[in-house]
Amino acid sequence: KETGDPGPRTELDFWRGRLQKITSITEQLRTKERKMVFGLLQAITRVSQEVAPKNRQTVFNTLRRWKQIDIAITEAFNEAKDNVKYLTTLEKFIEPLYVSTPATIVDTLPALMNAVKMIHTIARYYNTTERMTNLFAKITNQMITNCKECVLAGEESDSLWHKDPLVLIKNLYSCIQLNDAYQEQYRATKETLLTLPKGKQFDFSETLIFGRFDLFCRRVTKLIDMFQTIHQFTSLSQHRFDGMEPLVKSFKSIFEEFQIKRHDLLDFHNNRFDRDYVEFNVRISDLE
């Protein structure tokens, strides 16, 4: 069972591990000892006089069950081998999701989407709706992880309060732009496939694929709004206009009250942040 928000590498790791295990099983079944046992059981079924009918039937049933298992193992091996083959072709296209920035990932999306389309079109086992949706969801997970890493720059969530607001806002915007470009590229590929009605289509649940990214970007939009407000009031406080001091003092108090609640700003499942954000905006509006 996977924990956290697994990225697409976990899919390749899973199938490589599965192929290794099944290969080990098939090698064990080909050993001299296993073949001797199998040969002995077959010999028993050919003997009519010395072996009681009941015992022969038991051996028959065992051999039938064994052949079913053998077929299942062969099929599982073929499935794992085929999945590893096609997922390996994806490896270089998912690499940017782990090492690049959201802004540079945008340029790699056409190649990534084309590679996923090829798997969906020609893979023998992997091209089911369930597996392809799962793969896309893991790609989405890694994009969100990448966005968080870009925004945090190796620091904890609390550090966002101390970053340059303009740099932070730029990085936050790049997350929204990645989500937009990702969905745009997906839908462009989907429309291209529709021109080939007999071919495999992208008929996956877009809610399952993009839902988390959209939710994350709703949080990002709120953070952009909040840090723009913080930047505006910080700029006002530095210019020291006449009569602005009480306003700036009130803003500082509102800001510190929000900050002391120690929200993980990028935890987009935390509804308490959303309630406090609404209250923050109401109080800021009263100031203006």
Side-chain angles (χ1 to χ4, degrees):
K1 189 177 179 180
E2 291 167 344
T3 57
D5 303 319
R9 276 181 182 164
T10 62
E11 199 65 8
L12 184 51
D13 291 342
F14 169 79
W15 286 106
R16 277 179 175 157
R18 186 170 171 83
L19 179 59
Q20 193 174 17
K21 287 174 186 173
I22 297 171
T23 301
S24 175
I25 291 169
T26 55
E27 285 172 354
Q28 289 178 44
L29 294 174
R30 290 195 196 104
T31 60
K32 187 179 177 181
E33 292 81 2
R34 301 301 189 283
K35 287 180 178 178
M36 284 176 62
V37 171
F38 189 64
L40 178 62
L41 290 172
Q42 285 183 315
I44 290 171
T45 62
R46 289 193 292 267
V47 177
S48 57
Q49 306 296 325
E50 293 86 348
V51 181
K54 188 177 179 182
N55 292 340
R56 287 183 66 219
Q57 187 59 46
T58 300
V59 173
F60 267 124
N61 293 340
T62 302
L63 281 172
R64 189 184 302 115
R65 177 66 181 140
W66 162 245
K67 285 176 182 176
Q68 290 171 347
I69 292 170
D70 189 44
I71 290 168
I73 291 171
T74 301
E75 182 68 5
F77 174 80
N78 290 337
E79 177 189 41
K81 187 178 178 182
D82 199 65
N83 289 350
V84 168
K85 173 185 170 183
Y86 287 107
L87 287 170
T88 299
T89 66
L90 202 61
E91 208 163 11
K92 66 180 178 181
F93 299 107
I94 62 174
E95 182 71 11
L97 305 181
Y98 291 86
V99 300
S100 299
T101 63
T104 54
I105 289 171
V106 169
D107 297 329
T108 70
L109 290 176
L112 171 62
M113 202 61 67
N114 188 58
V116 174
K117 181 185 75 174
M118 289 301 292
I119 290 175
H120 182 53
T121 304
I122 62 178
R124 183 180 166 195
Y125 295 94
Y126 201 82
N127 62 4
T128 65
T129 297
E130 183 182 356
R131 283 187 177 156
M132 294 303 298
T133 303
N134 181 52
L135 178 61
F136 269 120
K138 289 185 174 185
I139 288 171
T140 301
N141 285 345
Q142 189 54 38
M143 286 186 182
I144 295 171
T145 299
N146 183 285
C147 286
K148 288 181 177 181
E149 288 171 353
C150 171
V151 171
L152 293 172
E155 298 182 271
E156 296 297 320
S157 176
D158 282 353
S159 70
L160 296 184
W161 299 115
H162 311 296
K163 291 184 182 294
D164 179 338
L166 294 180
V167 173
L168 181 58
I169 288 166
K170 180 185 175 184
N171 288 336
L172 288 167
Y173 264 125
S174 72
C175 300
I176 294 174
Q177 288 165 344
L178 175 58
N179 185 28
D180 289 343
Y182 177 36
Q183 297 198 33
E184 184 181 328
Q185 194 62 49
Y186 174 91
R187 289 180 183 120
T189 306
K190 182 176 181 176
E191 285 175 18
T192 301
L193 289 170
L194 285 171
T195 63
L196 307 165
K198 290 184 180 178
K200 296 278 288 183
Q201 301 296 316
F202 269 18
D203 50 0
F204 315 123
S205 165
E206 294 187 18
T207 302
L208 291 176
I209 295 172
F210 303 118
R212 293 187 77 250
F213 213 163
D214 285 340
L215 197 60
F216 173 71
C217 285
R218 282 203 285 275
R219 170 60 58 86
V220 166
T221 301
K222 290 174 182 177
L223 293 179
I224 290 171
D225 176 61
M226 176 175 277
F227 281 100
Q228 282 175 335
T229 302
I230 291 168
H231 176 64
Q232 288 165 2
F233 275 93
T234 304
S235 298
L236 278 176
S237 68
Q238 290 168 348
H239 287 94
R240 299 189 180 281
F241 295 116
D242 288 341
M244 291 298 292
E245 196 171 322
L247 184 66
V248 170
K249 190 176 180 183
S250 294
F251 169 75
K252 190 178 178 185
S253 173
I254 294 168
F255 168 64
E256 287 175 350
E257 281 180 36
F258 188 95
Q259 192 177 1
I260 208 167
K261 292 177 181 178
R262 297 183 64 82
H263 290 298
D264 180 346
L265 300 181
L266 296 177
D267 177 7
F268 54 98
H269 297 296
N270 175 10
N271 294 327
R272 288 191 306 108
F273 168 90
D274 299 304
R275 290 194 296 271
D276 291 338
Y277 167 78
V278 171
E279 185 186 343
F280 174 85
N281 276 340
V282 168
R283 296 179 70 186
I284 293 296
S285 296
D286 291 342
L287 282 183
E288 296 171 343

